[in-house]
Amino acid sequence: MTTSPAPCSRSWSISEDSLKRYVQFASESCIQDLLSASDSNRGIGINNGNDGWKVLTLENGVEISKRRSGNGSFHTFRSRWLLRSVSPEQFITVANAIDAAKQWDPDLVEARYIKDLDDNLSIIRLKFGDNSKPLFRNREFIVYERRETMEDGTLVVAVASLPKEIAAGLQPKQNNAIRGLLLQSGWVVERLEGDSCMVTYVVQLDPAGWMPKCFVNRLNNKLVMIIENLKKLAQACPIDGDDT
C-alpha cells in the first residue's frame, strides 16, 4: 500500500515587479482605510452610527473603539490619542512594524527587512521566540510597511501581512514557526498646534486560528494600547533642529 505524501503549503513564485505592484495596490487600500478611520472632523469619544465605529472607552483624552470586520469574524480596533508635547516628527520615528511588534511581546527574536521595494515600501519578517507569551510563541509575520506623507502634512504608516501564498514563496516558513496574519494595521499622525499631534492606531490581527475568536478580539483590543509605550519612546527622540 502506497502512502500519499503529506500535503504541503501552497506558495507562489512572484517577480519583484509583480510583488511591488501588488503591495502598492494593497497598501493604498490600507492607507485609505486608515485615513477614513482617523476622521479628523469627528471629535474624540463621539459615536457616529454611520461609520460603524463603537466607542468602548474614553479616558484622559484616549479613545478606544471597535468596528465589526467585513466577514464578521474579527473586530477591527482603533485608538485615538492626543499627544501633547510630542511632534509628528518625533512619533513617526517609532510608528513602524518593528517597534510595534516589540510592544506586542518583548521576545521578538528576529525583525528583518527582507526586501525594499521602494524608498517608502518594504517587506519585513517578524519572528517571536520560545520565551514569548503563549499568544505569540513561535509565531511569525511577513508584512509590508508603507510610509506616506499626505498633501496636508499628515503622516500615514500602513502595515499588513502578505497573502500566505506570496509570503511562502518569498520567505519559506522555518522550523516550527506558525504564520500569523496581521490583517490590517497602521498609524495616522496629524499635526496640531505647537509640538503636539493626534495619533490614530488601527489593528486587526488573526493569529492563524490557535485561539478562540473572542480571545483574538480581546488581544486586538489590548494591542491598541501600545501607543502609550511608543509615546515614551518618541519623547526620548530629539526633535529635528534641536542642538541642545
Side-chain angles (χ1 to χ4, degrees):
M1 178 177 176
T2 303
T3 302
S4 299
C8 60
S9 299
R10 290 186 303 165
S11 64
W12 293 346
S13 177
I14 186 171
S15 69
E16 185 161 329
D17 285 344
S18 296
L19 176 64
K20 183 177 179 179
R21 286 195 298 271
Y22 170 80
V23 176
Q24 285 178 329
F25 175 81
S27 59
E28 182 62 33
S29 177
C30 186
I31 285 174
Q32 294 307 314
D33 286 344
L34 292 170
L35 289 171
S36 176
S38 69
D39 191 8
S40 59
N41 294 320
R42 184 184 65 79
I44 282 184
I46 299 176
N47 271 314
N48 182 345
N50 295 326
D51 64 7
W53 290 102
K54 178 182 178 182
V55 175
L56 302 177
T57 62
L58 177 63
E59 185 176 353
N60 298 324
V62 178
E63 173 199 310
I64 306 296
S65 51
K66 72 176 181 179
R67 181 174 65 184
R68 187 174 295 278
S69 63
N71 61 17
S73 298
F74 300 103
H75 291 105
T76 303
F77 284 84
R78 173 185 69 184
S79 59
R80 304 182 74 211
W81 299 61
L82 173 58
L83 302 184
R84 302 191 184 279
S85 301
V86 177
S87 70
E89 290 77 14
Q90 281 178 293
F91 191 83
I92 204 66
T93 62
V94 298
N96 59 73
I98 293 175
D99 279 322
K102 291 177 181 177
Q103 304 305 318
W104 295 359
D105 191 287
D107 191 37
L108 181 68
V109 297
E110 183 178 335
R112 178 167 58 89
Y113 283 83
I114 298 174
K115 189 180 292 290
D116 290 326
L117 298 175
D118 211 332
D119 291 341
N120 65 339
L121 188 62
S122 302
I123 306 298
I124 303 170
R125 179 178 186 255
L126 305 170
K127 172 68 169 63
F128 296 91
D130 294 333
N131 297 321
S132 293
K133 297 175 183 177
L135 300 180
F136 286 101
R137 188 171 298 148
N138 292 324
R139 268 72 191 182
E140 67 175 7
F141 298 82
I142 308 299
V143 302
Y144 65 74
E145 178 183 275
R146 178 175 172 182
R147 310 172 74 85
E148 289 288 351
T149 301
M150 302 294 106
E151 291 184 359
D152 63 357
T154 296
L155 305 172
V156 186
V157 182
V159 181
S161 288
L162 294 177
K164 60 182 181 180
E165 295 87 358
I166 294 178
L170 188 65
Q171 182 71 43
K173 188 166 66 71
Q174 299 179 6
N175 300 326
N176 61 340
I178 299 173
R179 284 272 161 91
L181 293 175
L182 183 60
L183 300 176
Q184 182 187 66
S185 76
W187 295 262
V188 177
V189 185
E190 302 169 81
R191 184 182 304 278
L192 302 178
E193 293 183 1
D195 287 328
S196 299
C197 60
M198 177 73 72
V199 176
T200 300
Y201 178 51
V202 174
V203 63
Q204 185 185 23
L205 176 69
D206 175 3
W210 85 85
M211 59 187 293
K213 292 176 181 178
C214 62
F215 290 106
V216 176
N217 285 328
R218 289 183 192 175
L219 174 62
N220 285 335
N221 189 12
K222 181 180 179 182
L223 291 183
V224 296
M225 302 298 291
I226 68 172
I227 289 183
E228 176 63 26
N229 291 334
L230 293 179
K231 173 187 174 183
K232 296 174 183 177
L233 293 177
Q235 287 174 322
C237 296
I239 302 175
D240 290 345
D242 277 3
D243 298 323
T244 55

